[in-house]
Amino acid sequence: MRFSRLYAPTIKEVPSDSDLISYELLVRGGFIRKVAAGVYTYLPLGMRVLSKITSIVREEMENAGCLELLMPIMQPSDIWKDSGRWDDYGPEMMKIIDRHKREFTLGPTHEEMITVTVKNELVSYKDLPINLYQINTKYRDEIRPRFGLLRGREFIMKDAYSFHTDESSLDDTYKIMYGAYEKILERMRLEYMAVEADTGAIGGSNSHEFVVLADNGESDLRYCTECKYSATDEKAEYKAVYEYPFESEKTLEEIRTPDVKTIKDVSEFLGVCEDKIVKSLLLKGRDGFKMVLIRGDFEINISKIKSYFKDQTIDLALPEDVFENFRVPTGFIGPVGLNRADVEIIADISIKNLKNFVVGALKTDYHFKNANYDRDFRINAFADIKLVEEGDACPVCGNPLSKKRGIEMGQVFKLGTKYSEKLGAFYTNEQGKQMPFVMGCYGWGVSRSMAGIVEQCHDENGIVWPLNVAPYHVVITLINTKDEVQNSTAESLYGYLTGKGIEVILDDRTVSPGFKFKDADLIGFPIRITVGKTVKDGRIEMKFRKSGESCSVNIENGFESCLDKITEEMNRL
Ligand code: ATP
Ligand code: MG
């Protein structure tokens, strides 16, 4: 490809809506353009990278014995109603209505669709196991579409679904898919962690996420440096030990606390440590309001709360909603005097032995001191709802946990029979009995991978593509297009390398060398060959994007040594 014919509109300036370096570089390098929040066009360079990622993912799926199919994006609502997710999935689901007033979703995922696809086709245990995948566009009306391709509303996913007679067959496929995901990440040359994960709206028993390490990533990991325990913040557990010195219960005191808004404010105003304040939060879900209580110095883990209530729709209630229903601002909410039997109160295990703490008084501008549960208010149940933090004890070995951030590229789930039972998908076993399929599902963010790679592979000058996903391997920078010798050398080198199967861009534009070098670095071609003045002396210059090393190569007797150098570098990358 000649640069003069390429459609790669590079930009010098940082885009005004840039919120992450990978987004900035993909826009500036002419890979993508934003159309609307979370919706993008892939320009030719972006499309090349995307195709390479897709090929790697496809090859590893085929190696794992997975068969490709393609399901519709537009899915009728009834299958989602049958699974119960039409309501449960929440506002991320894009819903549309056709001219006949029939409801559809633009699929955020395809568990229902695949289950009804195989339902009447795989009828015998002899048909199993089977693993099917597609590479397709997904729609999720993300509350915060941001960070470019990392969190789109329209994005490309590889999703696979496996069907089994039993858990042990599922375990085998789960392991194979786990291995396939490791292979994909290795082929992309990325640093990653495979961690235990929450199953969220997808459901099921076990799950792992494959997270590419990056400081700006949205995945917050907890891991142990002693044993191999690692999990997402949503899933992470810890060894909870709470011992408090003995105290007898003191008299409940109502105190005016005007204008205090946060736990820190309350702590400073009352001169009480945050660990002696109990935060009361109102949540709203399918069955109305719930109250959760947790120590002031801890954060709640909403995923643990969702799975405790078995309600994926549950979330913090909006302040207006709280005020309308309880006549008090969120900062003064508390359990004492809450005369609402319909509001279940769940407390974190950290406050089980806590005495004489501070709580909101359920009255504007007031808090209670010396509150004690049972005496002053009810708790319906205790549960671990705490967000595990760095330094909390590893649930396996007790060593203090560490923290790292990253980008979730893929996730694998053991679904069990959740979908097959709800959607009536059965096979006949050896004894002639009808049994629900045991299922697994395996998602991979294909478009997200592109941003994830850039997030990990860039420097101050631009993108540093790993070879396997680079849009082209080599750029030949022709310094002076008017110079006969330079021109003909660049042309023959271009022809020679292309003939050897190397993907080459010939930068034949009539712009300054500096401009060409900047573009080459920004776009991130792994190898740059400069054809300039030195051709007179039978030499060309090579520069390697990743190491920054350069060398001069003699071409008096042909381009073989140049090809050798390229091959050497390609093997290293
Ligand atoms: P997240 O926690 O980041 O919202 P998820 O757990 O909801 O993702 P899955 O349902 O596991 O996502 O989807 C499989 C894969 O699809 C993810 O691992 C991720 O790589 C990709 N993906 C999910 N949501 C998006 C999105 N909004 N934009 C781009 N890729 C996405
Ligand atoms: Mg996920």
Side-chain angles (χ1 to χ4, degrees):
M1 172 56 70
R2 284 159 205 280
F3 215 131
S4 56
R5 307 300 315 143
L6 184 69
Y7 178 49
T10 54
I11 302 172
K12 276 209 186 66
E13 300 76 32
V14 177
S16 59
D17 60 349
S18 170
D19 49 6
L20 200 69
I21 187 71
S22 55
Y23 173 62
E24 172 191 326
L25 293 176
L26 287 170
V27 171
R28 288 185 50 217
F31 292 84
I32 58 166
R33 287 292 180 263
K34 186 185 204 167
V35 176
V39 183
Y40 299 89
T41 291
Y42 301 90
L43 298 176
L45 282 181
M47 193 55 211
R48 278 186 78 91
V49 174
L50 198 64
S51 308
K52 292 194 173 187
I53 294 170
T54 309
S55 301
I56 292 176
V57 172
R58 185 172 275 127
E59 277 165 32
E60 292 310 328
M61 287 301 102
E62 300 288 327
N63 288 342
C66 219
L67 301 163
E68 188 165 8
L69 48 51
L70 188 63
M71 291 180 275
I73 292 167
M74 184 171 156
Q75 307 175 19
S77 62
D78 21 322
I79 58 176
W80 286 82
K81 286 181 180 157
D82 289 345
S83 75
R85 287 208 293 180
W86 186 254
D87 297 322
D88 279 7
Y89 202 92
E92 269 183 29
M93 187 187 249
M94 297 258 198
K95 294 177 176 173
I96 52 171
I97 298 175
D98 73 7
R99 64 174 74 198
H100 305 295
K101 306 264 180 303
R102 282 187 290 246
E103 294 171 309
F104 290 83
T105 175
L106 296 180
T109 178
H110 276 70
E111 284 78 15
E112 284 76 0
M113 196 70 237
I114 191 80
T115 308
V116 299
T117 302
V118 303
K119 184 172 160 174
N120 298 315
E121 311 281 346
L122 305 176
V123 290
S124 158
Y125 68 94
K126 289 182 196 147
D127 301 326
L128 303 173
I130 195 160
N131 195 357
L132 302 161
Y133 79 100
Q134 65 172 348
I135 295 174
N136 206 347
T137 303
K138 296 273 188 276
Y139 292 85
R140 292 185 185 177
D141 199 358
E142 299 275 0
I143 188 164
R144 274 185 294 278
R146 54 182 175 170
F147 303 150
L149 301 179
L150 284 184
R151 190 161 295 285
R153 293 195 297 163
E154 176 183 283
F155 60 96
I156 303 168
M157 194 201 285
K158 182 284 303 169
D159 44 329
Y161 307 88
S162 65
F163 296 85
H164 311 265
T165 52
D166 53 46
E167 286 286 334
S168 99
S169 164
L170 169 61
D171 287 350
D172 293 344
T173 298
Y174 190 87
K175 276 195 202 105
I176 292 171
M177 294 300 272
Y178 190 110
Y181 278 18
E182 291 188 310
K183 271 270 179 54
I184 293 171
L185 288 159
E186 278 152 26
R187 287 179 67 179
M188 293 178 184
R189 304 283 186 267
L190 296 172
E191 231 190 298
Y192 71 94
M193 276 174 97
V195 303
E196 286 182 26
D198 188 55
T199 51
I202 304 278
S205 58
N206 280 51
S207 180
H208 284 87
E209 270 178 26
F210 293 77
V211 180
V212 163
L213 302 177
D215 293 340
N216 290 325
E218 286 186 290
S219 289
D220 203 356
L221 310 180
R222 307 288 180 267
Y223 67 100
C224 178
T225 50
E226 283 297 309
C227 70
K228 287 283 157 250
Y229 179 77
S230 61
T232 60
D233 60 338
E234 294 175 340
K235 175 72 180 172
E237 301 194 358
Y238 71 118
K239 236 178 223 159
V241 187
Y242 293 105
E243 278 159 11
Y244 301 105
F246 175 80
E247 278 181 52
S248 49
E249 292 186 353
K250 298 185 189 153
T251 316
L252 186 69
E253 249 182 272
E254 190 183 74
I255 298 181
R256 198 168 129 75
T257 51
D259 296 330
V260 299
K261 296 220 161 58
T262 62
I263 291 291
K264 193 163 166 272
D265 293 343
V266 180
S267 161
E268 279 168 10
F269 188 92
L270 296 175
V272 173
C273 291
E274 293 186 13
D275 58 9
K276 271 288 216 85
I277 301 171
V278 167
K279 249 193 294 205
S280 315
L281 302 162
L282 277 165
L283 305 161
K284 201 170 182 188
R286 225 175 11 220
D287 312 324
F289 288 101
K290 313 273 179 200
M291 184 180 276
V292 297
L293 306 178
I294 190 158
R295 244 169 63 173
D297 55 336
F298 293 165
E299 294 301 326
I300 55 158
N301 179 340
I302 193 77
S303 303
K304 285 183 181 172
I305 295 174
K306 284 179 186 200
S307 56
Y308 177 85
F309 287 111
K310 298 194 177 53
D311 180 0
Q312 286 301 317
T313 66
I314 217 162
D315 216 332
L316 280 179
L318 296 172
E320 311 84 83
D321 209 7
V322 169
F323 194 80
E324 194 174 312
N325 282 275
F326 298 87
R327 312 307 308 169
V328 55
T330 45
F332 301 100
I333 283 293
V336 183
L338 179 74
N339 297 320
R340 291 269 304 256
D342 61 314
V343 180
E344 222 175 312
I345 305 178
I346 303 301
D348 184 60
I349 47 175
S350 59
I351 62 179
K352 207 166 199 165
N353 298 319
L354 199 62
K355 293 261 182 256
N356 303 319
F357 45 81
V358 172
V359 283
L362 205 59
K363 182 169 154 191
T364 306
D365 289 345
Y366 284 90
H367 277 80
F368 280 122
K369 246 177 130 171
N370 301 329
N372 289 286
Y373 71 88
D374 285 350
R375 185 191 71 178
D376 303 322
F377 63 93
R378 77 187 142 96
I379 286 177
N380 294 81
F382 285 96
D384 169 17
I385 53 169
K386 175 184 168 351
L387 186 71
V388 172
E389 286 297 351
E390 188 169 24
D392 282 338
C394 169
V396 179
C397 72
N399 182 53
L401 290 169
S402 306
K403 233 174 155 169
K404 252 194 185 132
R405 295 194 77 86
I407 298 162
E408 175 198 329
M409 297 287 237
Q411 189 167 9
V412 294
F413 299 83
K414 288 186 190 172
L415 293 175
T417 54
K418 171 175 167 177
Y419 292 93
S420 42
E421 281 184 32
K422 287 213 164 115
L423 297 162
F426 296 93
Y427 70 94
T428 313
N429 75 4
E430 259 176 288
Q431 287 73 43
K433 207 171 146 209
Q434 291 284 96
M435 301 293 288
F437 294 116
V438 175
M439 289 172 59
C441 78
Y442 319 88
W444 185 274
V446 173
S447 47
R448 180 181 283 188
S449 296
M450 190 159 142
I453 294 166
V454 178
E455 203 54 41
Q456 200 174 84
C457 309
H458 70 267
D459 63 15
E460 63 284 2
N461 298 317
I463 304 174
V464 185
W465 289 111
L467 185 88
N468 289 337
V469 291
Y472 292 88
H473 303 141
V474 173
V475 59
I476 300 174
T477 309
L478 170 58
I479 298 295
N480 185 356
T481 47
K482 304 224 171 63
D483 182 300
E484 210 39 56
V485 189
Q486 289 185 28
N487 221 333
S488 65
T489 307
E491 286 290 341
S492 1
L493 179 60
Y494 172 56
Y496 173 82
L497 292 178
T498 308
K500 296 288 177 191
I502 313 278
E503 297 171 16
V504 190
I505 278 271
L506 171 59
D507 196 347
D508 57 347
R509 294 174 298 170
T510 49
V511 293
S512 75
F515 194 90
K516 292 184 181 185
F517 291 146
K518 279 222 162 65
D519 268 359
D521 280 351
L522 174 63
I523 294 171
F525 304 111
I527 300 165
R528 189 180 81 204
I529 302 176
T530 308
V531 177
K533 277 194 196 130
T534 55
V535 284
K536 283 199 317 287
D537 319 315
R539 305 195 78 83
I540 51 167
E541 309 301 319
M542 287 180 78
K543 185 156 191 208
F544 306 113
R545 181 73 181 86
K546 188 166 178 200
S547 63
E549 285 162 17
S550 50
C551 63
S552 165
V553 181
N554 189 322
I555 50 161
E556 274 166 332
N557 303 318
F559 298 127
E560 280 79 9
S561 23
C562 180
L563 179 63
D564 289 348
K565 283 266 177 226
I566 291 174
T567 318
E568 211 178 285
E569 177 69 2
M570 282 173 68
N571 288 337
R572 204 163 24 171
L573 290 175

